[in-house]
Each structure stands twice: as C-alpha cells, then as structure tokens.
Amino acid sequence: MAVPELAAAQAPPPVRMPPPARRTRATALPEVRWAALAALAFLVAFPLDLADAPAWAWGPLYAVCYAAGGWEPGREGLRALRERTLDVDLLMVVAALGAAAIGQYLDGGLLIVIFAVSGALEALATRRTADSVRGLLDLAPATAVRLTPGGEETVEAAALAVGDTVLVRPGERLPADGTVLRGTSDVDQASITGEPLPAAKAPGDEVFAGTLNGAGALRVRVDKDASASVIARIVALVEEASATKAPTQLFVERIEQRYSVGVVVATLAVFGLPVLLGGDVTEALLRAMTFMIVASPCAVVLATMPPLLSAIATAGRHGVLVKSAVVMERLGAADRVALDKTGTLTEGTPRVTAVHGDEKALALAAAAELPSEHPVARAVVAEARARGLRLPEATDFSSEPGTGVRAVVDGREVRVRRAPGTHADTAVEVLVDGTPAAVLELSDRLRDGAPEAVRALARLTGTAPALLTGDNAGAAGRIAAETGITDVRAGLLPHEKAEAVREWERAGAKVLVVGDGVNDAPALAAAHTGIAMGRAGSDLALETADAVVVRDELSAIPAVVALSRRARRLVVQNLVIAGVCIGVLVVWDLAGHLPLPLGVAGHEGSTVLVGLNGLRLLRDAAWRKAVNGE
Ligand code: ADP
Ligand code: MG
C-alpha cells in the first residue's frame, strides 16, 4: 500500500504539550470509600443521637461507622501485633471501642471518622505521587505501525526490534527512539527536552519515543529497544523510588514502637492508680481513654512522609525524578555543589572545529571511537561521516573513562585521548601505533540558563559552586568564565573527581554533585547527593545518581533543592505542631479535666492539620515558588 509522504509545508503544526498525567480519581481508592462510608454513617447517627432519638435509630449507624472506618486498621493492627509490633492504628481502634464500651458512642465514632479520613488522605497523596510518575510512561504510545515488505502492520510498541522501520503519521506520537529514513516533519519534543518549539526533522535526524509528530509523515528506523528508550529508562529508575523511607520517618517509626508501648502502660496506670486509691471507676476509665487518645503519636507519624512525597510528586511533574524520600530530605541539606562540564553545563554535543592532521588519521580515530558513548566520540564519528570517510572495522576496543579510547583498526593500534599541553578548547590527540598522527579541536555550547542556575545554587547553598572536569584547563576556563564559576578543577580523572568530593565532605561539607557521564559515576556515588542529566546521561550515571533531571534543564536543579528545603521546613513545622498538641492535651487531661470529645477533636484535628500541611507541596504553586527561589 502507498505510504503517504506529506511534506511538512502544508500547515504549521500546532504546538502541543504532552497531556497531563492521568490522575486516579479519589473514589477509586478503597481507603477513600471506606472513610466516606464511615463519615456518612456518623453524620446521620450523630444528630439523631443528640436529638435523643431511640437507640435503635442511631445505634446500627454507629456500628456501620465503627466497622467501615475501623475494620481495616484494626485488622492491620492485629497482624502487626502477631509480629510483636504495636502500631498506633490499633491504639486508635481500641480507644474508640473503649469509648463505646463506656457509652461514649459519639466520641468513639468521631475518633474513627477523623482517623479514617486522615488515612484516606495519606493513601491519596501516595497514589497521586505514583500517578505523576506513570504519566511519563503514558507519553509513549502503546502501538506502532511497522512497515513490512508486503505493506504495514500494527504492533505493540514494546515488540518493536532494533532495525524495524515504523511509519509515524501526522499528529501521532513516536513509538521508539530512532533515526528518520524518509519524510520531513516538525516534531514537538517538549516531553523530553522541554523545548516548546518543534524541531525540524529530516532523513538522518534522531527522534525520540514519546515526542509528537507534526504535519509530516516519517519513516523511522528503530535504534533502541522500547526498554532502552530515554523515557523508559527514566521511568524504570523512579519505580523503585516510592518504596523507600526518609531517615526522619525511620527514626519516628523506631520511636513510635517504644512510645506506643509506653502509652499503653501509662494508660493502665492512669486507670489503675485512681481506682486503687478508691476513685470512681467510670471516671478513671474515661480519663484513661482520653489519655490514650491524646497521647497517641498519630500526628508525629504523619509529620514526615506527606511533605516529602508531595515534594517528590511535584518535582516529578516538573521533570526532576527524585528516587526516594531519603533523597528528597537530603537534597535541601547540600551546602556545596560540584558541577561537571561536558554534558552538564554544556549541551554535550560538541562539534569538531579543527583537524590538525590528515583525513586518514580522522578515519582511524572515528573507527576507534565508534563503540564509545562519549560526546567527544560521537563528534569525531560525525565529523568523519560528514566528510564522507569510510570507517574501517575496529577490534579490541577498550575505553578508559575520562581519558579516551583504544582499538585495533586495519591492524594498527589507534588511541584517541586527551591532548597534552594547553588548548583554548577541548582537544584530543590521535596516536597510531604510538605515534601522534593528529590533534582534533572540539567546541561545545553552553546550556541555556547555566549562569542563572549557578547563581541560584550559590545563593541557596551559601557557597559558590565548583567545576569538576576531565577536560583541559583551557576549555574548563572558558566555560567557567561564561557561567561565573571561579573554583575550577580541570584534567581530573574519574577517581580524582570523587576524591575532590570526599575531601570537601571530610571538611564537613554536604556535597551535591551534578553530572552525566560514566566518568562522573564515582563522584556521584561519593557525594552526599547526586543528580544526573536524564537525556545526556549515561546509564551508569542515571543509575548511580539519586535524582534525574529528565529534560536536562539546569534551572530544575536549584528548584528541586529549594523544594527540598521547603519540605524539610514543613517536616519540622509538623513535628512541632504534633509535639505541642500532644503535650498540651496530655497535661490538660492529667492535671485538669479534658472532656473526651475535646480530646478527640484536639488529637485528630492536629493529625489532619499536619497531614494537610504536607500536601501543600503537591500544588503547582510550590514548584513556581521553588523556581523563583522563594
Ligand atoms: P567532563 O568531565 O568534562 O565531562 P570527561 O571526563 O568525560 O569530561 O572527559 C575528559 C577528557 O577526556 C575529554 O575532554 C577528552 O579530552 C578525553 N576523553 C574522554 N573520553 C574520550 C573519548 N571517547 N575519546 C577521546 N577523548 C576522550
Ligand atoms: Mg560529562
């Protein structure tokens, strides 16, 4: 069948942004539905109860409320108890049943409802986080049109193999990373590069899964497996993220255990002592129940994760994938930043600007560089191809990160490596059988917003960022001058980058490293926190880093640091609110007379307040503020 090959000329393609991440409806979560049922039953029972209606009218409704709101936490609590841990959920359910046992149905019901609602809010926040990550995956279409000798067939995008040819019609999303074979079009790459203007694509150009084709039809050769595409790599990284807990949370949970046991013991004492001294049993029981409720650390438990998870979700929606709550908590603690040059401050797509030597040497160098992932290697290969040179087969390839490559080409040993001596820009030398054969000069463009990002990071951390690069001092100096960096360390091998980081850390600094290459991996690992550039980044850097800037926007780095600080402030704020509320209510109950409903309202009120406080970071305004450095 005929393949339409429309020219892009007919109409300018509309600029379309990726669709917003699909959000789970709140009512899809069982926690939300149970909480809603508990609340509804309570809201009907409560006025009947107050109006002195007969017990058969409101009694069953309270029972529904207790069961709907208390069943799941009660079961969880009992399961935990069998594993010899006591969780606050169980305390809440016991307190509610205790209140009911002494005739305080309303108070117990109120406790159950507010408890269930705060649980539902927590579940919702967690789910929204997961949604915003999965939203990224939705960008890549599920099916693709594969061209076969006989025509075309629709296949699962995941089933495409390297070397397949796919047809992408106008307005469709690209199913895979690949190269344009035929056709021209404008492709909106905002989902990956953040660049709002469509990029013109013609045969030979690289295209990416999840980007949006404009008005032309393209035949694209698939160059990468679906699982290896830029977008899939990034999503895979984050899937592991949500499973981790921040140190503050782990600390809180360790304390929670002993604290909860303490609350039970104290509750028995608050009940037992007055009774032994001849006090009124009902009054003592009421006081003990109130004590158990107000002393429970619900608000403390809820203080940490919601702000951090909300911040992770918001950062994710804006192109920064933070791999765990631990990282979200740590990012804001950074007081020193080290930036890599090639691929981080610069675009990482250098071009060869001069060849001092003959084309034979260039062809040998390109042949040796072909298997390398380094930006310098890609530039050398591109230059040789642009000159129409034939690249001979290379064998025995090996690379040394931060230095260069070595291979055997046409029976001769070819090395391409950092050129000795001083150069104004990046330079590599080509050695054939140990003899210098050529020097290649390369130049790379600074990324947009690099000077602004450097300034913002200096303001946030209180220290001017440093530049760590394996490139020569000339190239490093040029980039440093353009970005306003004064602390420059050039000519570093990968382990020397890591050593520089460790040195700062030994001096007490918490270092944030931003890098992209294989050569940055040791420094990323040595750092307090590491951020990798998602698009330019090598797999190793993406894996080693704690967070990934999906679209390589430098402005996102100070923004995520600012967001982390805000989350940390909220955690502290929450812990203070929780602590003060518990303290005041406990003293009130023990020293004076705290009515049970007031105790419940105070305790659950502070819990919900703390929970909602954390969710504030889910709003887009939180990111805008972080970008503006507020
Ligand atoms: P950066 O730290 O700026 O990201 P690298 O450490 O990756 O840079 O590289 C440092 C220098 O080592 C490069 O500027 C280049 O001179 C040399 N080099 C690294 N890899 C290669 C390669 N594949 N081919 C030639 N030279 C290389
Ligand atoms: Mg680099």
Side-chain angles (χ1 to χ4, degrees):
M1 100 166 244
V3 175
E5 225 128 81
L6 313 172
Q10 318 158 322
V15 177
R16 267 182 277 183
M17 291 303 285
R22 237 178 278 141
R23 285 182 156 209
T24 307
R25 304 236 335 247
T27 48
L29 293 175
E31 288 92 339
V32 173
R33 289 201 302 264
W34 287 119
L37 179 59
L40 195 69
F42 180 82
L43 286 178
V44 179
F46 155 70
L48 291 173
D49 183 5
L50 284 191
D52 280 332
W56 57 259
W58 46 261
L61 286 168
Y62 275 142
V64 168
C65 165
Y66 280 61
W71 180 252
E72 202 43 49
R75 230 181 36 162
E76 286 291 316
L78 285 178
R79 189 178 308 146
L81 201 59
R82 265 195 305 258
E83 283 159 20
R84 298 182 164 277
T85 60
L86 183 64
D87 71 22
V88 281
D89 291 20
L90 194 61
L91 291 190
M92 284 298 101
V93 176
V94 168
L97 293 177
I102 52 174
Q104 307 283 336
Y105 305 110
L106 192 153
D107 301 343
L110 186 62
L111 174 61
I112 288 278
V113 166
I114 305 183
F115 181 62
V117 168
S118 48
L121 283 176
E122 208 183 332
L124 193 61
T126 314
R127 179 58 76 90
R128 287 270 154 92
T129 315
D131 283 354
S132 66
V133 170
R134 220 169 313 109
L136 284 169
L137 253 194
D138 287 344
L139 290 178
T143 60
V145 176
R146 177 160 64 191
L147 296 179
T148 59
E152 57 172 67
E153 58 184 2
T154 301
V155 295
E156 300 261 314
L160 289 174
V162 174
D164 280 353
T165 304
V166 292
L167 172 65
V168 187
R169 298 206 159 88
E172 288 180 351
R173 283 190 180 274
L174 277 95
D177 287 12
T179 311
V180 176
L181 294 178
R182 270 165 75 180
T184 56
S185 188
D186 286 333
V187 175
D188 175 358
Q189 307 198 124
S191 58
I192 291 200
T193 62
E195 180 60 55
L197 290 179
K201 297 288 178 183
D205 288 341
E206 213 183 355
V207 288
F208 302 97
T211 56
L212 186 66
N213 188 19
L218 297 173
R219 279 187 193 208
V220 174
R221 184 189 64 226
V222 177
D223 291 340
K224 280 188 194 147
D225 272 349
S227 61
S229 71
V230 173
I231 202 119
R233 275 192 317 187
I234 292 165
V235 173
L237 279 177
V238 189
E239 302 230 294
E240 313 153 15
S242 329
T244 58
K245 284 181 176 168
T248 315
Q249 180 69 7
L250 292 176
F251 176 74
V252 164
E253 285 178 10
R254 261 205 318 278
I255 303 278
E256 181 197 347
Q257 268 311 304
R258 289 189 218 140
Y259 183 94
S260 302
V261 174
V263 170
V264 172
V265 172
T267 303
L268 291 176
V270 170
F271 172 65
L273 287 180
V275 171
L276 284 181
L277 296 175
D280 179 55
V281 175
T282 310
E283 192 183 304
L285 192 61
L286 206 53
R287 188 188 291 266
M289 282 301 148
T290 311
F291 173 82
M292 184 154 110
I293 292 166
V294 300
S296 288
C298 296
V300 178
V301 173
L302 217 57
T304 313
M305 290 312 270
L308 295 173
L309 289 178
S310 302
I312 289 180
T314 297
R317 279 206 311 276
H318 293 89
V320 187
L321 302 181
V322 176
K323 291 196 202 166
S324 68
V326 182
V327 176
M328 190 38 99
E329 199 177 24
R330 283 177 156 210
L331 278 168
D335 52 15
R336 167 141 229 151
V337 181
L339 300 158
D340 165 57
K341 181 179 75 71
T342 318
T344 302
L345 282 177
T346 71
E347 291 189 334
T349 48
R351 285 181 195 286
V352 173
T353 49
V355 178
H356 306 289
D358 61 8
E359 290 200 332
K360 179 90 181 80
L362 178 62
L364 290 176
E369 291 277 27
L370 204 52
S372 167
E373 89 303 336
H374 199 274
V376 166
R378 279 182 302 208
V380 172
V381 172
E383 179 65 16
R385 291 225 165 106
R387 293 178 184 221
L389 302 179
R390 195 188 63 87
L391 306 191
E393 195 78 33
T395 56
D396 299 319
F397 170 85
S398 66
S399 80
E400 210 181 304
T403 310
V405 300
R406 181 197 161 277
V408 175
V409 186
D410 282 347
R412 304 161 79 180
E413 192 214 32
V414 179
R415 283 172 187 274
V416 190
R417 62 175 192 197
R418 187 159 39 155
T422 49
H423 299 270
D425 216 326
T426 307
V428 295
E429 68 170 348
V430 185
L431 299 170
V432 179
D433 286 333
T435 328
V439 171
L440 314 177
E441 282 175 29
L442 300 99
S443 191
D444 197 359
R445 269 190 46 204
L446 203 62
R447 277 190 201 283
D448 287 341
E452 292 81 1
V454 168
R455 243 179 288 135
L457 284 168
R459 202 183 53 233
L460 275 170
T461 60
T463 323
L467 182 65
L468 298 182
T469 177
D471 207 346
N472 67 49
R478 181 174 74 82
I479 295 298
E482 284 177 33
T483 50
I485 296 180
T486 47
D487 188 352
V488 183
R489 322 223 168 160
L492 300 182
L493 290 172
H495 72 271
E496 292 170 327
K497 286 193 181 192
E499 191 42 48
V501 171
R502 270 190 225 106
E503 202 177 289
W504 283 318
E505 303 229 307
R506 271 197 297 272
K510 297 201 169 81
V511 186
L512 165 63
V513 169
V514 188
D516 69 303
V518 173
N519 63 315
D520 297 319
L524 287 169
H528 182 69
T529 41
I531 299 184
M533 307 303 275
R535 198 154 115 46
S538 64
D539 287 351
L540 189 63
L542 292 184
E543 230 160 78
T544 315
D546 300 306
V548 175
V549 179
V550 182
R551 304 175 198 127
D552 290 6
E553 292 159 327
L554 286 173
S555 63
I557 295 165
V560 76
V561 171
L563 191 67
S564 165
R565 300 216 157 174
R566 183 98 190 282
R568 292 163 63 94
R569 280 201 301 274
L570 280 186
V571 169
V572 173
Q573 213 179 69
N574 277 348
L575 288 172
V576 169
I577 295 174
V580 168
C581 286
I582 290 177
V584 167
L585 293 172
V586 162
V587 169
W588 189 348
D589 181 49
L590 294 183
H593 171 71
L594 173 65
L596 183 62
L598 206 59
V600 172
H603 171 262
E604 292 299 326
S606 64
T607 306
V608 170
L609 183 72
V610 160
L612 291 179
N613 199 25
L615 296 191
R616 273 163 49 192
L617 290 186
L618 269 183
R619 292 179 313 175
D620 272 338
W623 182 258
R624 273 201 305 280
K625 278 191 189 164
V627 169
N628 297 330
E630 287 165 33

